[in-house]
Amino acid sequence: MNRKRSIRVLLVDDERAFVDTLARRLTIRNLQVNVAYDGEQALSRLQKNAPDVMVLDLKMPGIHGFEVLKRARAQAPLTQVVILTGHGSDGDAAIVSELGGFGLLRKPADIETLVRKICEASHASRAHA
Amino acid sequence: MESANLREQIKYQKLFVGIILASFTHELRNHLAVVKESSGLQQDMIALEGSVKDLSGLVQTLQTVDEQVDNALQLTSFLNRFAHRMDNEEAYFSVAEVLDELMVLVSRLARQRLVALDTDFSEVVPPVVGDPANLQMLVFFLLDEKIRNLPRESSILIRIVAAQGGAMITIASQGDGLEDAEQGSRCPREVLHSVARGMEAEIIDGEGTQETGIFLRGAW
């Protein structure tokens, strides 16, 4: 539980009602959560204070999630990126892996599955530090 | 030659329907995701506190769920109408109604590109005759080309005006034009012209690339 408390997560999604509610649920589960509502905001947060894990939507106004993922991996290589998207193409998972993403979950995801993925990603992030 | 043309048309009709369905299901999943997380949050709170202590929070959650269900219902109604446009290859229809449906289904694509879609369907125009599903495809690809190639913060105005006993749809971009067009079009213009000819309609390109019109013959 203590280890989980120290995991810093940045949630990135333009659907405010979704991301704000999910942030509360993850906070209840002892994660340190911050939110960004588009790709630009996310990259700016990343520059100031890189989290352990970024949970990122793909289809957002402005910069597409793939571009955010690419830039995030270059800007903050220790931050692991989990894609959480309602977009269903099989090709997406391959692109995510090619761009260095940690994994892809379909939205809506089971909360415990998401927490487990975040913990695994955080573990990978710390192992690379 | 004719069957090659037909194959090309079918290919792009499938692409059009695929794009619309992908965008629609994505949007629907987003609404369902909000419902799922809102319900999950209330379950978390009850598990944490043993009972509902924050009644106003609960009411707010229920309102959010209600709104998301309404949004999803509205979207599915438009999708249902969109599907039924394919029932008849030749029908009398209101251009405004057909375009209203399309606008709802296309608005997400425009939002993602930070392009505003404005409509002016206020002019009373006669019903037209033709294939409404093909008209939606024509307008979609013409709009899509502009959405994909316009700079951010641009806008597109779609108008319907009466013209020569029929109707004219104009699609005008307001921004820096398409000079920095890099994405091109997802459907070749010759396919669109061929689809238009099939319904006795005509695509008319204005000066430069800023405005495109589609003329549709009237029903009477």
Side-chain angles (χ1 to χ4, degrees):
Chain A
M1 192 65 90
N2 284 338
R3 188 171 61 84
K4 225 165 82 177
R5 188 167 289 135
S6 62
I7 299 176
R8 290 164 305 135
V9 182
L10 178 62
L11 293 182
V12 190
D13 199 306
D14 61 306
E15 302 290 340
R16 286 174 183 250
F18 170 75
V19 79
D20 291 344
T21 312
L22 185 59
R24 289 182 65 188
R25 297 194 75 196
L26 293 178
T27 304
I28 288 172
R29 285 162 176 78
N30 294 318
L31 298 169
Q32 282 183 49
V33 186
N34 219 324
V35 298
Y37 300 116
D38 60 43
E40 274 169 27
Q41 219 174 69
L43 290 169
S44 146
R45 295 267 164 83
L46 204 65
Q47 202 161 33
K48 286 180 198 146
N49 188 9
D52 300 305
V53 182
M54 181 195 276
V55 177
L56 176 66
D57 187 20
L58 284 182
K59 298 263 182 179
M60 294 181 291
I63 314 175
H64 190 279
F66 283 147
E67 185 58 31
V68 178
L69 167 59
K70 203 165 106 185
R71 291 195 209 170
R73 294 301 290 150
Q75 204 174 305
L78 291 182
T79 297
Q80 295 295 329
V81 182
V82 174
I83 302 294
L84 179 61
T85 179
H87 197 60
S89 146
D90 287 340
D92 287 348
I95 297 172
V96 167
S97 150
E98 218 170 275
L99 293 175
F102 187 78
L104 181 145
L105 293 175
R106 306 266 182 228
K107 200 199 291 181
D110 172 69
I111 191 79
E112 301 309 336
T113 307
L114 177 61
V115 170
R116 196 165 52 243
K117 198 75 170 174
I118 290 171
C119 289
E120 287 167 8
S122 157
H123 187 74
S125 163
R126 284 164 196 208
H128 288 116
Chain B
M1 189 65 178
E2 197 148 300
S3 70
N5 270 347
L6 193 61
R7 274 203 302 275
E8 275 289 281
Q9 277 191 32
I10 291 169
K11 174 177 152 189
Y12 288 101
Q13 277 162 343
K14 280 160 69 179
L15 175 65
F16 163 57
V17 173
I19 294 169
I20 293 292
L21 288 182
S23 173
F24 163 80
T25 47
H26 189 180
E27 183 106 26
L28 192 60
R29 287 181 84 99
N30 277 334
H31 293 309
L32 293 174
V34 176
V35 170
K36 185 175 168 71
E37 296 311 334
S38 301
S39 144
L41 178 61
Q42 285 310 314
Q43 291 174 49
D44 289 349
M45 299 305 286
I46 291 167
L48 212 64
E49 295 169 347
S51 64
V52 179
K53 296 213 169 122
D54 178 13
L55 265 184
S56 70
L58 177 62
V59 169
Q60 201 182 355
T61 301
L62 292 174
Q63 280 169 347
T64 302
V65 168
D66 222 29
E67 280 164 24
Q68 297 301 321
V69 170
D70 281 346
N71 290 341
L73 275 175
Q74 194 197 24
L75 207 55
T76 48
S77 300
F78 278 107
L79 188 75
N80 184 268
R81 282 162 57 185
F82 170 78
H84 281 297
R85 292 294 177 193
M86 296 171 211
D87 289 349
N88 297 302
E89 285 182 3
E90 186 161 284
Y92 298 111
F93 60 88
S94 149
V95 182
E97 276 179 24
V98 163
L99 292 197
D100 265 337
E101 276 155 38
L102 186 67
M103 291 308 133
V104 171
L105 300 170
V106 168
S107 58
R108 182 182 176 83
L109 301 174
R111 255 197 332 270
Q112 277 165 7
R113 296 266 174 181
L114 300 176
V115 171
L117 287 185
D118 300 316
T119 57
D120 179 359
F121 300 162
S122 58
E123 189 169 323
V124 178
V125 299
V128 298
V129 66
D131 183 335
N134 273 354
L135 176 63
Q136 287 181 328
M137 174 188 166
L138 284 183
V139 175
F140 170 79
F141 279 120
L142 293 172
L143 263 179
D144 180 62
E145 182 183 13
K146 290 193 191 297
I147 290 170
R148 286 158 55 84
N149 292 292
L150 280 169
R152 287 172 176 207
E153 316 295 340
S154 304
S155 65
I156 301 172
L157 174 64
I158 302 109
R159 294 179 68 218
I160 305 169
V161 293
Q164 297 166 38
M168 174 76 89
I169 300 165
T170 62
I171 303 168
S173 53
Q174 292 156 343
D176 293 336
L178 299 174
E179 286 106 21
D180 54 352
E182 286 169 5
Q183 308 277 337
S185 171
R186 286 196 264 195
C187 179
R189 192 52 76 97
E190 58 266 27
V191 173
L192 296 181
H193 280 298
S194 168
V195 171
R197 275 194 303 276
M199 50 191 288
E200 293 182 49
E202 189 185 353
I203 299 171
I204 302 155
D205 284 312
E207 300 243 330
T209 51
Q210 300 255 347
E211 183 164 320
T212 307
I214 302 172
F215 173 71
L216 301 153
R217 70 186 166 98
W220 296 286

